[in-house]
Amino acid sequence: MISKKGDELDKLTDVVLKFRDERDWRKFHTPKDLAMDLSVEAAELLEIFLWKDKKEIKKIIREKKKEISDELCDVLHVLLLLSHDLDIDLIGEFHRKMEDNRKKYPADKVRGKNKKYTEYR
Ligand SMILES: [Mg+2]
């Protein structure tokens, strides 16, 4: 059974809203700035792996789990704020988008291939 509203996601959203309200930061959180921040936090995740070869990446994954987790949490933090502020049901929209993805990338047509959907039609 897929719920439209994830209880845990709602709890996490409450946590980030409380964090923001306690600091009176809502006034800084325009959709534009939150979208930019989402990209910045994703870039901080990328920076961990920047210029590393396959061997170094394996080592980083073993030794920098905390840093990687921190950046993933920063991405989630901003994602929760932005989806809340835009009144987007992230769980419901995620399931809708996955259904779109299943139609766009039918498993029997794309299995094992790395082409964009426009390249195999
Ligand atoms: Mg960060």
Side-chain angles (χ1 to χ4, degrees):
M1 164 90 182
I2 297 167
S3 74
K4 286 278 183 193
K5 278 288 205 182
D7 289 342
E8 193 62 35
L9 207 58
D10 288 343
K11 288 178 193 168
L12 294 176
T13 300
D14 288 345
V15 169
V16 295
L17 291 174
K18 184 172 186 282
F19 182 89
R20 176 169 77 179
D21 291 344
E22 287 170 346
R23 286 153 186 80
D24 191 24
W25 286 351
R26 176 68 184 87
K27 59 192 170 193
F28 304 119
H29 289 179
T30 66
K32 172 195 68 93
D33 285 298
L34 287 173
M36 291 173 75
D37 193 24
L38 189 59
S39 182
V40 168
E41 296 302 344
E44 289 175 357
L45 176 64
L46 286 174
E47 191 175 25
I48 295 170
F49 300 105
L50 185 64
W51 311 122
K52 307 300 186 213
D53 62 25
K54 282 184 178 179
K55 191 176 172 187
E56 291 168 317
I57 288 171
K58 283 183 180 176
K59 188 172 185 236
I60 285 170
I61 291 170
R62 279 194 315 273
E63 297 176 358
K64 294 195 170 188
K65 197 73 113 184
K66 164 97 172 41
E67 289 92 330
I68 294 167
S69 296
D70 283 352
E71 298 311 336
L72 287 171
C73 290
D74 286 345
V75 167
L76 180 59
H77 184 143
V78 180
L79 184 61
L80 292 169
L81 287 174
L82 186 56
S83 59
H84 170 270
D85 292 356
L86 297 179
D87 195 25
I88 290 172
D89 169 13
L90 208 48
I91 298 289
E93 289 301 311
F94 180 82
H95 288 297
R96 179 199 53 75
K97 181 62 169 75
M98 285 306 297
E99 187 55 35
D100 290 349
N101 290 344
R102 279 188 282 276
K103 289 175 187 163
K104 193 183 277 184
Y105 296 98
D108 61 327
K109 288 188 179 172
V110 302
R111 183 172 292 112
K113 298 174 187 168
N114 61 357
K115 302 226 180 291
K116 190 173 179 181
Y117 69 96
T118 52
E119 296 176 46
Y120 68 82
R121 288 198 169 170

